[in-house]
């Protein structure tokens, strides 16, 4: 096979292939769907790749003097499905259409690419999820980064300045873009998105300035709050994003809204660990359990659902801004009847943002416009419900609310309420809208009536009682006579079609009336199409208004939804403070409580204040440590999103960040369980936390040996204590209970269990003090380990407990030893040197090794080797 372009061209391609190669050269990274009649054809490598991905037969096409060209094609009618499969496979597809009728063409038909469909710019409903945005994101710079995020399906366009690489990854984690655009040659950010590299010159800030001005008709980008020097990285990202949109949709994207410039000031930084561990928008194990978002999402509209998702991922850090949201929720919480009424009406609102995008891009059909009309029908009622609201956020939503009544009456005036989804059969425009159309319809009806009357007249003329006038799509109108009566058929009948039991005929009269019917129908469809397009263009001109209203509707929906959840789940409005405090009375875990019978969830109090910064929570497996820890994080985040919280009272000192770290064994996210990852994440916390942060540590240090683990946990706790960050640390290291005693602002807590006979009962109640027993053996019994194994384990446990390493002696002694290990992590000091003799670092390693030895099962040789290793440890 000869490669496309280059030498191949000289080799004498047919004009069609030459045209193909020319167009393909402008879209090297897309699969080119090249329209030939009723098919989209792929040639050369595209044919090979496409046939593989789509399971199509690979054939070949003659190419004049050159070698045959590989070919694979899909019918135009089925193209949407094939395109979606290619998109899901991470490919992009350039749609090349014939731009003139074959008959008009002088030589070869003109063709060009009318759109490039890519995962980040797709508008096909079937490829979009209702409840989340679909962004293409252009990234520029090397820190600070400029991020330009565009969602073509809704018209949203945001510019954001991001200080560091870490923050950029955080931002990409929230946006979950389908595609990112980066300069050619730059380091790609790997992730579940398609990476699109484009020439570096497209990222020129000056170009961004120019494009923003042109597209949005402003005198300067300063109108959007952009500064030409300081925001060069934003202008650069905007330049690349807009250039890319023009590339994929040459016909333009008029519905793209002016950029919202976001400087990240008021938003809490939320890293991937915390997002995952607190299961904010997705459960840890996909398909199992539910997320906070699932629980909160009682929105009634797709716009509201998308907004909620964005807000859950962007908690605020500014107390006044949070209070503003909380007041709106509180007002709708109190006003039950009003809330119910608003929600009832909103249930009838379709996806205004995506409808607007379809209308603006000329993809909307009759049902879409009807959908818009019916959606806005309910808006005056919503507006009325907001008449006398008092909270500033709701007042702002009400003032200037545009219920789009003119848009609705325009649509209603033109469209038939029962219009079919497409234009091809007519019936779209309502009677009375156009005199010309009504005239054509009357002509048709009249002709149809005449044809209907023909049956009676012909029966009479021929004496054939069973004679019928009928219609089918292929043959048109006909007169049908059964075989038995053929002898009575008059001479002027012309045979048209033979069936088993009948013959079908035409007469000159029938033919004439049929022509009138068809002529009128043709005229009707053409006129209806024109009228519909006029209507769509008229509505398209109002798209910015539709979008603005959609945005308000989303907010109203969101506030009402949060109020609704608050009532149903018995949440309370959190009190906020600028001091780094936290006081939760009878707090619950919102998701866990929704999965156990309500009365069975045990609420817990948690208080962190100036005197207590670090809580160390111990307790056996399954006691509820992780649950209480996560509920603290969730309550703070919910409050800062602007939601009520699951507690009977909550005072939340606004957190600048919430950090969570879940130790290896609790973190089942695949392939994450190395100790190195755990330490890297812990380092992130220690480097990023401030006195205003909330730090949640669940079983850190598990990924290594006990002593390493305890030591690290110990040192981390000391550090956070020093820093004064509000910290909750759940651990199975009882040694840390001793640590709590030595630190002034730390205290031990445990999640209570009760022994009943040989079983234990989980009380799920948090109480002061450490727990000092391991209930692992009991849990083993509950889990169904065979009785013999449980019995043996219980005996071993007793032996261990009474031995020199037993739990009995643990607290102080082990704490001491663990403290000795700290010298591994701290700069050596005089004191350490002094203690060196007593607690040689190698000693702990040797002891660990010794403990693992089983003399009963050692050969003499193995025993010798073990002895040598022990000595080596001590000498190390
Ligand atoms: P741990 O981290 O101590 O091993 P978890 O927090 O994972 O324990 O809790 C184990 C299970 O116990 C949870 O899945 C939940 O079903 C139940 N549970 C935890 N806390 C409570 C509570 N406060 N009330 C009722 N059930 C709870
Ligand atoms: Mg746990």
């Amino acid at each position: 096979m000869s490669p496309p372009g280059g030498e191949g061209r000289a080799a004498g391609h047919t004009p069609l292939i030459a045209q193909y190669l020319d167009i393909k050269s402008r879209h090297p990274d897309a699969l080119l769907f090249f329209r030939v009649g009723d098919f989209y054809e792929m040639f050369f490598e595209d044919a090979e790749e496409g046939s593989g991905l789509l399971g199509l037969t690979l054939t070949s096409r003659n190419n004049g003097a050159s070698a045959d060209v590989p070919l694979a094609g899909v019918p135009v009618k089925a193209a949407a499905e094939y395109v979606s499969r290619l998109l899901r496979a991470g490919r992009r597809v350039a749609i090349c259409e014939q731009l003139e009728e074959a008959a008009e063409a002088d030589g070869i038909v003109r063709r060009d690419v009318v759109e490039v469909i890519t995962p980040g710019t797709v508008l096909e409903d079937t490829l979009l999820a209702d409840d989340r945005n679909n962004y293409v994101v252009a990234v520029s710079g090397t820190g600070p980064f400029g991020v330009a995020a565009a969602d073509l399906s809704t018209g949203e366009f945001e510019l954001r300045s991001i200080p560091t690489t870490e923050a950029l990854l955080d931002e990409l984690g929230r946006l979950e873009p389908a595609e990112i655009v980066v300069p050619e040659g730059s380091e790609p950010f790997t992730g579940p998105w398609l990476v699109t590299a484009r020439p570096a010159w497209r990222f020129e800030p000056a170009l961004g300035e120019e494009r923003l001005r042109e597209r949005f008709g402003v005198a300067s980008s300063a109108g959007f709050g952009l500064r030409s020097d300081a925001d060069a990285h934003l202008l650069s990202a905007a330049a690349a994003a807009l250039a890319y949109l023009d590339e994929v949709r040459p016909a333009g994207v008029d519905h793209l809204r002016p950029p919202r410039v976001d400087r990240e000031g008021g938003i809490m930084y939320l890293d991937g660990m915390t997002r995952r561990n607190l299961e904010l928008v997705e459960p840890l194990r996909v398909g199992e359990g539910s997320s906070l978002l699932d629980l909160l999402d009682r929105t009634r509209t797709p716009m509201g659902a998308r907004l909620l998702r964005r807000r859950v991922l962007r908690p605020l850090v500014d107390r006044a801004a949070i209070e503003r949201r909380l007041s709106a929720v509180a007002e709708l919480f109190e006003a039950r009847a009003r809330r119910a009424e608003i929600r009832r009406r909103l249930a009838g609102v379709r996806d205004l943002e995506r409808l607007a995008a379809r209308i603006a891009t000329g993809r909307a059909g009759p049902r879409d416009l009807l959908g818009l009309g019916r959606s806005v029908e309910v808006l005056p009622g919503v507006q009325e419900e907001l008449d006398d609201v008092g909270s500033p956020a709701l007042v702002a939503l009400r003032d200037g609310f545009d219920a789009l009544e003119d848009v609705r009456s325009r649509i209603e005036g033109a469209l038939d309420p029962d219009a079919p989804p497409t234009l091809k059969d007519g019936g779209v425009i309502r009677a009375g809208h156009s005199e010309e159309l009504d005239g054509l319809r009357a002509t048709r009806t009249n002709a149809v009536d005449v044809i209907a009357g023909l049956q009676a007249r012909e029966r009479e003329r021929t004496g054939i009682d069973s004679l019928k006038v009928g219609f089918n799509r292929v043959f048109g109108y006909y007169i049908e006579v059964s075989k038995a009566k053929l002898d009575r058929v008059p001479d002027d009948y012309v045979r048209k079609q033979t069936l088993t039991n009948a013959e079908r005929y035409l007469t000159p009269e029938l033919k004439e009336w049929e022509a009138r019917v068809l002529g009128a129908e043709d005229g009707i469809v053409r006129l209806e199409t024109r009228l519909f397009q006029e209507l769509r263009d008229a509505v398209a001109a109002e798209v910015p208004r539709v979008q603005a209203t959609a945005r308000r509707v989303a907010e109203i929906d969101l506030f009402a939804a949060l109020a609704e959840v608050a009532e149903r789940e018995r949440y309370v409005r959190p009190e906020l403070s600028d001091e780094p405090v936290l006081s939760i009375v009878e707090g619950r875990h919102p998701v866990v409580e929704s999965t156990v019978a309500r009365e069975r969830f045990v609420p817990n109090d948690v208080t962190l204040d100036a005197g207590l910064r670090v809580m160390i929570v111990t307790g056996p497996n399954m006691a509820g440590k992780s649950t209480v820890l996560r509920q603290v994080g969730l309550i703070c985040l919910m409050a800062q999103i602007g939601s009520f919280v699951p507690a009977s009272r909550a005072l939340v000192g606004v957190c600048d960040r919430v950090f969570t770290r879940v130790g290896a064994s609790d973190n089942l996210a695949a392939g994450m369980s190395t100790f190195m990852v755990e330490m890297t994440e812990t380092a992130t916390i220690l480097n990023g936390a401030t006195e205003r942060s909330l730090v949640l540590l669940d079983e850190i240090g598990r990924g290594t040996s006990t002593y390493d683990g305890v030591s690290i946990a110990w040192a981390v706790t000391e550090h956070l204590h020093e820093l004064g960050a509000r910290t909750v640390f759940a651990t199975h290291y009882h040694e840390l209970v001793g640590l709590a005693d030595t630190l002034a602002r730390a205290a031990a807590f445990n999640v209570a269990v009760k022994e009943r006979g040989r079983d234990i009962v989980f009380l799920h109640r948090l109480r002061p003090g450490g727990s000092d027993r391991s209930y692992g053996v009991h849990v083993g019994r509950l889990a169904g380990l065979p009785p013999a194994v449980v019995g043996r384990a219980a005996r071993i446990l007793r032996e261990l407990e009474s031995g020199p390493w037993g739990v009995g002696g643990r607290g102080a002694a082990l704490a001491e030893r663990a403290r000795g290990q700290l010298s591994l992590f701290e700069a050596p000091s005089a004191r350490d040197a002094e203690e060196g003799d007593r607690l040689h670092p190698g000693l702990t390693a040797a002891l660990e090794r010794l403990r693992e030895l089983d003399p009963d099962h050692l050969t003499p040789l193995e025993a010798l080797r073990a002895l040598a290793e022990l000595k080596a440890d001590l000498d190390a």
Side-chain angles (χ1 to χ4, degrees):
M1 189 198 78
S2 66
E7 265 175 64
R9 185 159 317 195
H13 293 297
T14 62
L16 183 97
I17 295 296
Q19 184 188 43
Y20 171 86
L21 290 172
D22 178 41
I23 295 172
K24 174 71 190 175
S25 71
R26 278 178 271 133
H27 297 277
D29 59 2
L31 286 168
L32 184 62
F33 269 33
F34 188 78
R35 179 79 178 256
V36 181
D38 290 335
F39 278 82
Y40 287 119
E41 306 285 14
M42 291 174 277
F43 297 119
F44 299 105
E45 287 93 343
D46 284 6
E48 285 167 0
E49 187 184 351
S51 63
L53 289 170
L54 298 173
L56 303 170
T57 320
L58 187 64
T59 57
S60 62
R61 182 181 177 105
N62 173 278
N63 185 22
S66 306
D68 284 0
V69 171
L71 162 79
V74 301
V76 169
K77 277 192 179 147
E81 170 55 24
Y82 288 110
V83 170
S84 31
R85 275 159 63 190
L86 292 172
L87 290 195
R88 274 184 229 119
R91 297 293 280 131
R92 68 185 79 229
V93 183
I95 306 290
C96 173
E97 293 291 352
Q98 300 180 173
L99 299 181
E100 55 190 353
E101 297 290 330
E104 301 166 16
D106 170 19
I108 192 141
V109 176
R110 269 193 312 123
R111 292 183 172 86
D112 210 346
V113 168
V114 296
E115 67 175 318
V116 183
I117 309 177
T118 78
T121 59
V122 62
L123 286 173
E124 217 50 64
D125 266 357
T126 49
L127 286 168
L128 295 168
D130 275 356
D131 60 354
R132 63 183 70 183
N133 284 100
N134 190 61
Y135 290 113
V136 55
V137 168
V139 181
S140 73
T142 49
F145 295 92
V147 164
D151 181 348
L152 269 200
S153 71
T154 63
E156 285 155 295
F157 186 35
E158 295 156 21
L159 298 178
R160 208 161 274 144
S161 178
I162 309 285
T164 62
T165 306
E166 191 201 1
L168 179 64
L169 293 177
D170 175 34
E171 180 60 21
L172 291 175
R174 307 186 215 243
L175 290 170
E176 302 176 280
E179 186 173 357
I180 66 176
V181 181
V182 295
E184 266 162 13
S186 69
E187 193 85 357
F189 304 97
T190 44
W193 43 68
L194 176 69
V195 176
T196 298
R198 288 296 177 259
W201 61 262
R202 283 208 192 169
F203 290 75
E204 279 296 322
L207 222 57
E209 171 72 33
E210 201 178 300
R211 281 185 183 270
L212 285 170
R213 265 199 309 232
E214 269 171 26
R215 175 177 294 268
F216 300 107
V218 290
S220 130
S221 66
F224 304 124
L226 290 167
R227 302 153 301 186
S228 54
D229 292 338
D231 291 328
H233 57 307
L234 294 179
L235 289 168
S236 154
L242 294 175
Y244 187 62
L245 295 182
D246 283 345
E247 174 191 328
V248 298
R249 304 200 71 84
V253 283
D254 291 343
H255 64 294
L256 193 73
R257 311 185 61 179
R260 258 198 21 204
V261 180
D262 195 341
R263 300 192 185 277
E264 286 292 292
I267 304 295
M268 186 197 290
Y269 191 53
L270 206 58
D271 55 62
M273 285 181 270
T274 300
R275 216 162 43 222
R276 280 190 303 273
N277 289 332
L278 293 183
E279 307 184 292
L280 294 184
V281 296
E282 233 155 52
L284 261 183
R285 273 148 286 171
V286 178
E288 268 179 63
S290 44
S291 65
L292 176 67
L293 179 63
D294 294 330
L295 190 81
L296 294 183
D297 192 0
R298 294 257 166 75
T299 56
R300 285 291 166 101
T301 68
M303 300 79 82
R306 288 193 295 269
L307 182 63
L308 176 62
R309 186 184 181 87
R310 290 201 297 267
R311 295 234 164 131
V312 165
L313 290 171
R314 293 180 191 282
L316 302 176
V317 292
D318 175 45
R319 187 160 71 90
I322 303 169
E323 291 286 11
R324 187 180 153 94
R325 287 188 188 171
L326 285 172
S327 305
V329 175
E331 184 168 0
L332 293 176
F333 178 86
E334 298 298 334
R336 291 185 69 183
R338 170 177 296 169
R339 172 175 17 117
E341 193 53 29
I342 290 176
R343 288 171 53 75
R344 190 179 66 75
R345 289 176 191 274
L346 288 181
V349 176
R350 283 182 47 188
D351 196 332
L352 294 178
E353 286 175 329
R354 288 198 171 144
L355 281 175
R358 296 172 69 78
I359 292 166
T361 52
R363 307 162 73 87
R367 295 267 169 93
D368 293 318
L369 284 185
L370 280 175
L372 175 62
R374 291 193 183 127
S375 298
V376 300
E377 208 168 285
V378 308
L379 296 182
V382 173
Q383 190 175 18
E384 213 170 282
E385 290 299 327
L386 297 177
D387 258 357
D388 53 353
V389 291
S391 63
L394 291 179
V395 167
L397 287 171
R398 177 199 62 200
D399 291 347
F401 186 92
D402 178 358
L404 301 166
E405 294 191 69
D406 53 324
V407 174
R408 181 194 49 122
S409 58
R410 179 149 208 161
I411 293 172
E412 265 180 14
L415 290 188
D416 188 308
D418 299 318
T422 65
L423 292 163
K424 65 180 195 304
D425 298 320
V428 168
I429 303 296
R430 80 178 328 153
H433 179 63
S434 151
E435 255 174 56
E436 189 187 351
L437 181 61
D438 293 347
L440 283 169
R441 282 176 175 162
T443 306
R444 180 188 55 185
T445 311
N446 184 31
V448 169
D449 286 349
V450 171
I451 291 173
L454 221 63
Q455 179 166 304
R457 272 183 283 135
E458 290 297 306
R459 278 185 185 176
E460 193 167 327
R461 175 159 85 99
T462 60
I464 308 173
D465 289 350
S466 57
L467 178 147
K468 274 190 310 201
V469 171
F471 175 82
N472 87 21
R473 280 195 170 264
V474 181
F475 293 100
Y477 287 96
Y478 55 80
I479 296 172
E480 190 175 297
V481 179
S482 64
K483 287 259 157 90
K485 301 288 167 68
L486 287 187
D487 54 329
R488 299 212 195 172
V489 168
D491 290 346
D492 59 341
Y493 276 29
V494 181
R495 204 169 68 218
K496 199 172 171 186
Q497 191 190 4
T498 304
L499 307 178
T500 331
N501 297 316
E503 294 281 350
R504 288 177 175 176
Y505 300 92
L506 268 183
T507 65
E509 192 190 6
L510 180 59
K511 221 175 148 72
E512 188 195 321
W513 285 105
E514 175 178 39
R516 288 195 204 182
V517 171
L518 295 181
E521 279 178 353
D522 215 46
I524 289 169
V525 169
R526 245 180 300 146
L527 181 56
E528 287 206 45
T529 304
R530 203 190 77 213
L531 292 170
F532 179 77
Q533 277 162 358
E534 279 170 16
L535 172 69
R536 190 166 63 193
D537 290 347
V539 175
E542 307 302 332
V543 155
R545 286 172 57 206
V546 176
Q547 290 172 324
T549 297
R551 204 161 258 254
R552 284 175 191 246
V553 167
E555 293 229 21
I556 296 165
D557 187 17
L558 173 71
F559 286 136
L562 289 178
E564 184 79 9
V565 192
E567 178 176 328
R568 289 214 209 166
E569 305 287 331
R570 299 170 306 129
Y571 294 169
V572 296
R573 177 176 181 165
E575 296 155 53
L576 301 178
S577 162
D578 283 325
E579 297 303 309
V581 294
L582 183 65
S583 169
I584 299 170
V585 180
E586 293 186 302
R588 288 122 51 202
H589 187 297
V591 178
V592 175
E593 85 163 332
S594 73
T595 61
V596 302
R598 169 148 300 155
E599 56 287 358
R600 284 196 34 228
F601 191 90
V602 181
N604 277 305
D605 300 347
V606 167
T607 298
L608 289 163
D609 53 23
L612 177 62
R613 307 310 287 166
V614 178
M615 281 174 72
I616 293 173
V617 181
T618 55
N621 267 332
M622 297 300 288
K625 301 183 295 298
S626 299
T627 305
V628 82
L629 174 125
R630 289 186 170 133
Q631 91 194 19
V632 169
L634 285 169
I635 286 173
C636 292
L637 286 179
M638 286 169 81
Q640 293 186 225
I641 286 160
S643 166
F644 282 21
V645 300
S648 61
R649 239 199 98 188
L651 170 66
V652 175
V654 176
C655 309
D656 62 351
R657 283 186 67 165
V658 173
F659 292 94
T660 15
R661 168 62 226 166
V662 174
S665 67
D666 266 23
N667 184 350
L668 297 176
M672 297 267 306
S673 52
T674 70
F675 182 59
M676 187 61 201
V677 171
E678 187 177 319
M679 284 302 103
T680 312
E681 294 178 357
T682 306
T684 308
I685 295 180
L686 298 189
N687 294 327
T690 74
E691 191 209 356
R692 311 180 55 77
S693 308
L694 175 67
V695 180
L696 306 169
L697 302 172
D698 196 352
E699 306 277 16
I700 68 158
R702 258 198 177 177
T704 183
S705 73
T706 307
Y707 284 107
D708 275 354
V710 174
S711 321
I712 289 169
W714 190 289
V716 165
T717 311
E718 281 184 343
H719 179 94
L720 291 168
H721 179 263
E722 186 68 26
L723 195 67
R726 282 160 289 177
T727 302
V728 183
F729 191 165
T731 181
H732 68 292
Y733 290 133
H734 305 290
E735 293 83 352
L736 293 186
V737 171
L739 173 63
D741 295 338
T742 70
L743 297 175
R745 298 188 296 164
F749 290 79
N750 70 90
V751 186
V753 292
K754 200 165 69 186
E755 288 185 65
R756 185 181 291 152
R758 296 194 315 161
D759 285 337
I760 54 170
V761 179
F762 295 106
L763 300 177
H764 303 305
R765 176 145 290 127
L766 190 66
R767 60 182 189 192
S771 71
D772 58 359
R773 280 178 61 91
S774 166
Y775 293 84
V777 175
H778 298 278
V779 174
R781 181 186 359 261
L782 292 180
L785 287 183
V789 174
V790 175
R792 171 80 182 126
R795 277 196 299 284
I796 293 171
L797 178 66
R798 268 198 302 281
E799 270 170 38
L800 289 176
E801 281 178 353
S802 57
W805 310 106
V807 179
R810 262 188 176 179
L814 269 188
E816 260 316 295
R817 271 191 297 278
R819 201 194 280 275
Q821 270 220 340
L822 292 185
S823 56
L824 286 176
F825 301 93
E826 286 165 350
S829 67
R831 202 184 110 232
D832 289 334
E834 232 177 280
E835 288 183 347
D837 281 340
R838 195 156 53 87
L839 275 168
H840 188 287
L843 181 60
T844 42
L847 289 173
E848 181 91 321
R849 198 187 286 281
L850 194 55
R851 196 140 84 110
E852 280 160 13
L853 288 181
D854 180 0
D856 285 347
H857 292 92
L858 288 184
T859 64
L861 196 61
E862 282 167 348
L864 267 179
R865 195 176 297 135
L867 192 60
E869 282 169 1
L870 284 172
K871 182 133 186 359
D873 277 341
L874 289 177
D875 293 346

